[in-house]
Amino acid sequence: KPLVIGVTGSFGKTTVRHIITEILRRAGRDVWTPEGNYNGEWGFALGVLQVRSGWHNATAWIRSLLGAVWTIMNPRYPHILVLEYGVDHTGEMDIQIDIVEPDIALFTKLSPSHIEWFGTAEKYFAEKEKILRRKTKQTYAIGNADDRHQSDFVCQSWYGSDAKKSDYTIADIHEFPDRTEFTVLHGEEQYSIVTPILGKHHAGLIAGAFMVTLQMDIPPLDIVSFLRHIHLPHARGNTLKWLHDSLVIDGTYNGGFDPIVAGVEMLARLAKTEWRKTIALLGDMRELGALERVRHEELWDKLKTQPIDHYIFVGAVSMEVIKPRIGREWQDKTLFTLDSRVAGEYIRSLIAADPNKYLLFAKWSQNTIYLEEALKYFIFPEEYLKLVRQEDLYVRKKNDFYQMLK
């Protein structure tokens, strides 16, 4: 049976799963993790069986079924699995734990997201905590000491910025347009991390991955060395080039309240160090249920305090909730639309006649927003290959949606 590393939390699960997997691969370990965002009861089971969803394609499902049979019968199975334990309704964590319990569990930060079918944030947090309800294994749990929602969790070790609460403390964070630098402190030991993964909000995820891979007996200095070369998958915070030596920080895969706020705050800080103009291209937040309106109101309350040159919002909820709340000082610096292509054309018009260098941050929550299509209007064509959701299935869905808007 493989050793199982389980990641759960409200955001950053796929990012930290990728980082953990890359460290283990570079260390020569026999490790496997699903491609893409495979969590929840169905995606989780497919991931354990090492097959992909067939979506609406019967032939693809037949291939997946045959692949699952091969996985079950094949005596050669990876020694280590890195899996996401995601939930969007009550009981979903129980199903995943019944399939496989993790030997090591890592919590990323928790926040009220994906709570549409829970009713309250408290029920959502309680569902996440179930990963600690050990049945047959003694799970080693690593928690985020900065997260008040985890204060009652029973974890064996903690990471965070508070040295009094953390076994591994994050300190001295410095951000640059091409890297992030910070220090991890553990007792008398300290490790200087330099990573191409952008933003101080990723430091906790990296520290969590550091702690997980230490449990796998990988020398800490090897981990530090590996982190210098690990890049995030496309559309999860990597950079794209465009006019006038400007940069896009592409987070168009998905997003929620905390990642959006953290990304915009990073945008403001980076622009200040490089004297760049700034654009935040943002989409609606989804799966918030009864909290949808109040969370969008709270989002604008956070965003309006940041020195951003232009905010561009895509989505019906942003138009309904945020647009009426903008003050006169923001009216000439904001755009609201249902069509990401309109947003792309608007951004292109902004920068076409402006010789200044820009820094743009793009982030949204999936379905009908499609900010990656906006990026095509101004990034260099050779960067298109780095965009997310360009498969035929998604192209058809996008075309259907854009036709509906006409």
Side-chain angles (χ1 to χ4, degrees), residues 262-273:
V264 170
E265 291 174 347
M266 173 188 65
L267 178 68
R269 290 190 299 268
L270 289 177
K272 188 181 297 184
T273 62

Side-chain angles (χ1 to χ4, degrees), residues 131-298:
I131 200 172
L132 300 178
R133 296 183 183 176
R134 304 162 180 85
K135 297 180 180 179
T136 62
K137 290 184 177 180
Q138 291 299 310
T139 303
Y140 185 91
I142 300 170
N144 184 329
D146 296 334
D147 184 357
R148 61 185 177 86
H149 301 302
Q150 298 180 35
S151 59
D152 295 329
F153 288 9
V154 180
C155 295
Q156 281 64 52
S157 59
W158 299 86
Y159 65 91
S161 59
D162 188 337
K164 295 181 180 179
K165 299 179 181 179
S166 305
D167 299 289
Y168 287 79
T169 306
I170 303 161
D172 301 323
I173 304 176
H174 301 281
E175 298 170 302
F176 304 91
D178 62 346
R179 69 191 186 280
T180 304
E181 300 177 2
F182 63 97
T183 302
V184 175
L185 306 173
H186 177 61
E188 298 298 318
E189 301 169 346
Q190 65 176 46
Y191 304 99
S192 298
I193 307 295
V194 180
T195 171
I197 299 172
L198 301 184
K200 64 185 294 185
H201 56 292
H202 283 124
L205 301 177
I206 295 168
F210 184 89
M211 294 172 68
V212 167
T213 48
L214 280 177
Q215 291 296 312
M216 306 298 295
D217 296 322
I218 298 176
L221 293 182
D222 286 358
I223 300 172
V224 170
S225 176
F226 297 149
L227 285 170
R228 285 181 169 269
H229 308 287
I230 294 175
H231 295 262
L232 293 182
H234 294 164
R236 293 186 181 275
N238 55 308
T239 57
L240 307 173
K241 296 178 181 178
W242 53 321
L243 292 175
H244 311 312
D245 196 29
S246 297
L247 290 175
V248 172
I249 301 173
D250 179 14
T252 54
Y253 185 85
N254 63 7
F257 184 92
D258 289 299
I260 289 174
V261 172
V264 170
E265 291 174 347
M266 173 188 65
L267 178 68
R269 290 190 299 268
L270 289 177
K272 188 181 297 184
T273 62
E274 293 236 328
W275 299 103
R276 294 175 182 258
K277 286 190 174 182
T278 51
I279 299 172
L281 173 60
L282 309 173
D284 288 350
M285 299 180 292
R286 299 293 172 82
E287 298 182 7
L288 292 173
L291 292 181
E292 183 175 78
R293 172 172 288 275
V294 68
R295 289 299 272 175
H296 280 84
E297 290 173 349
E298 291 171 349

Side-chain angles (χ1 to χ4, degrees), residues 8 76 124 202 229 239 275 301 331 339 364 406:
T8 195
R76 178 72 178 84
Y124 167 71
H202 283 124
H229 308 287
T239 57
W275 299 103
D301 288 341
Q331 288 181 356
D339 191 334
W364 69 295
K406 290 184 177 180

